[in-house]
Short mmCIF file of all heavy atoms in Angstrom, two decimals:
data_model
loop_
_atom_site.label_atom_id
_atom_site.label_comp_id
_atom_site.label_asym_id
_atom_site.label_seq_id
_atom_site.Cartn_x
_atom_site.Cartn_y
_atom_site.Cartn_z
N SER A 123 32.97 -26.22 -64.08
CA SER A 123 32.59 -25.03 -64.85
C SER A 123 31.66 -25.37 -66.02
O SER A 123 31.04 -24.49 -66.61
CB SER A 123 33.85 -24.35 -65.41
OG SER A 123 34.58 -25.27 -66.23
N ASN A 124 31.55 -26.67 -66.35
CA ASN A 124 30.66 -27.06 -67.45
C ASN A 124 29.21 -26.81 -67.04
O ASN A 124 28.79 -27.19 -65.95
CB ASN A 124 30.87 -28.55 -67.78
CG ASN A 124 30.10 -28.95 -69.04
OD1 ASN A 124 28.89 -29.12 -69.01
ND2 ASN A 124 30.81 -29.11 -70.14
N PRO A 125 28.42 -26.14 -67.90
CA PRO A 125 27.03 -25.81 -67.51
C PRO A 125 26.18 -27.04 -67.19
O PRO A 125 25.14 -26.92 -66.55
CB PRO A 125 26.49 -25.03 -68.72
CG PRO A 125 27.42 -25.32 -69.85
CD PRO A 125 28.75 -25.62 -69.24
N TYR A 126 26.61 -28.21 -67.64
CA TYR A 126 25.83 -29.43 -67.39
C TYR A 126 26.34 -30.23 -66.19
O TYR A 126 25.78 -31.27 -65.86
CB TYR A 126 25.82 -30.31 -68.64
CG TYR A 126 24.70 -29.93 -69.59
CD1 TYR A 126 24.89 -28.96 -70.57
CD2 TYR A 126 23.45 -30.53 -69.49
CE1 TYR A 126 23.86 -28.59 -71.42
CE2 TYR A 126 22.41 -30.17 -70.32
CZ TYR A 126 22.63 -29.20 -71.29
OH TYR A 126 21.58 -28.85 -72.13
N PHE A 127 27.38 -29.73 -65.52
CA PHE A 127 27.99 -30.51 -64.42
C PHE A 127 26.96 -30.87 -63.35
O PHE A 127 26.94 -31.99 -62.84
CB PHE A 127 29.14 -29.72 -63.80
CG PHE A 127 29.89 -30.48 -62.72
CD1 PHE A 127 30.87 -31.42 -63.05
CD2 PHE A 127 29.60 -30.27 -61.37
CE1 PHE A 127 31.56 -32.12 -62.06
CE2 PHE A 127 30.29 -30.97 -60.38
CZ PHE A 127 31.26 -31.90 -60.73
N LYS A 128 26.08 -29.92 -63.00
CA LYS A 128 25.11 -30.16 -61.92
C LYS A 128 23.70 -30.48 -62.41
O LYS A 128 22.81 -30.71 -61.61
CB LYS A 128 25.06 -28.93 -61.00
CG LYS A 128 26.33 -28.77 -60.18
CD LYS A 128 26.23 -27.62 -59.21
CE LYS A 128 27.51 -27.52 -58.37
NZ LYS A 128 27.51 -26.33 -57.52
N VAL A 129 23.50 -30.50 -63.72
CA VAL A 129 22.16 -30.81 -64.25
C VAL A 129 21.85 -32.27 -63.95
O VAL A 129 22.67 -33.15 -64.14
CB VAL A 129 22.09 -30.52 -65.76
CG1 VAL A 129 20.77 -31.02 -66.36
CG2 VAL A 129 22.24 -29.03 -66.04
N THR A 130 20.65 -32.54 -63.46
CA THR A 130 20.16 -33.85 -63.01
C THR A 130 20.81 -34.24 -61.68
O THR A 130 20.12 -34.51 -60.72
CB THR A 130 20.34 -34.95 -64.07
OG1 THR A 130 19.58 -34.59 -65.24
CG2 THR A 130 19.85 -36.31 -63.59
N SER A 131 22.15 -34.27 -61.61
CA SER A 131 22.84 -34.54 -60.33
C SER A 131 24.31 -34.19 -60.48
O SER A 131 24.91 -34.49 -61.50
CB SER A 131 22.69 -36.01 -59.94
OG SER A 131 23.55 -36.32 -58.86
N PRO A 132 24.92 -33.60 -59.43
CA PRO A 132 26.36 -33.34 -59.48
C PRO A 132 27.18 -34.57 -59.06
O PRO A 132 28.40 -34.53 -59.07
CB PRO A 132 26.54 -32.21 -58.46
CG PRO A 132 25.45 -32.46 -57.45
CD PRO A 132 24.29 -33.07 -58.22
N ASN A 133 26.48 -35.66 -58.69
CA ASN A 133 27.16 -36.84 -58.15
C ASN A 133 27.47 -37.83 -59.28
O ASN A 133 26.67 -38.70 -59.62
CB ASN A 133 26.28 -37.50 -57.08
CG ASN A 133 27.01 -38.61 -56.34
OD1 ASN A 133 28.22 -38.76 -56.48
ND2 ASN A 133 26.28 -39.39 -55.57
N HIS A 134 28.66 -37.70 -59.87
CA HIS A 134 29.07 -38.58 -60.96
C HIS A 134 29.82 -39.77 -60.34
O HIS A 134 31.05 -39.83 -60.35
CB HIS A 134 29.96 -37.81 -61.94
CG HIS A 134 29.32 -36.52 -62.41
ND1 HIS A 134 28.32 -36.49 -63.34
CD2 HIS A 134 29.51 -35.24 -62.02
CE1 HIS A 134 27.94 -35.23 -63.54
NE2 HIS A 134 28.64 -34.47 -62.74
N SER A 135 29.04 -40.71 -59.78
CA SER A 135 29.59 -41.75 -58.92
C SER A 135 30.72 -42.55 -59.58
O SER A 135 31.79 -42.70 -59.01
CB SER A 135 28.50 -42.72 -58.48
OG SER A 135 27.54 -42.05 -57.71
N TYR A 136 30.46 -43.08 -60.77
CA TYR A 136 31.46 -43.93 -61.42
C TYR A 136 32.72 -43.13 -61.75
O TYR A 136 33.84 -43.55 -61.49
CB TYR A 136 30.90 -44.54 -62.70
CG TYR A 136 30.20 -45.86 -62.49
CD1 TYR A 136 28.84 -45.92 -62.25
CD2 TYR A 136 30.92 -47.06 -62.53
CE1 TYR A 136 28.20 -47.14 -62.06
CE2 TYR A 136 30.29 -48.27 -62.34
CZ TYR A 136 28.92 -48.31 -62.11
OH TYR A 136 28.30 -49.51 -61.91
N PHE A 137 32.52 -42.00 -62.36
CA PHE A 137 33.63 -41.14 -62.78
C PHE A 137 34.53 -40.84 -61.58
O PHE A 137 35.76 -40.92 -61.67
CB PHE A 137 33.05 -39.85 -63.37
CG PHE A 137 34.05 -38.99 -64.10
CD1 PHE A 137 34.37 -39.26 -65.42
CD2 PHE A 137 34.63 -37.89 -63.47
CE1 PHE A 137 35.28 -38.45 -66.10
CE2 PHE A 137 35.54 -37.08 -64.15
CZ PHE A 137 35.86 -37.36 -65.46
#
Side-chain angles (χ1 to χ4, degrees):
S123 58
N124 187 284
Y126 273 89
F127 184 81
K128 290 184 178 174
V129 172
T130 299
S131 169
N133 188 11
H134 308 283
S135 297
Y136 271 92
F137 192 83

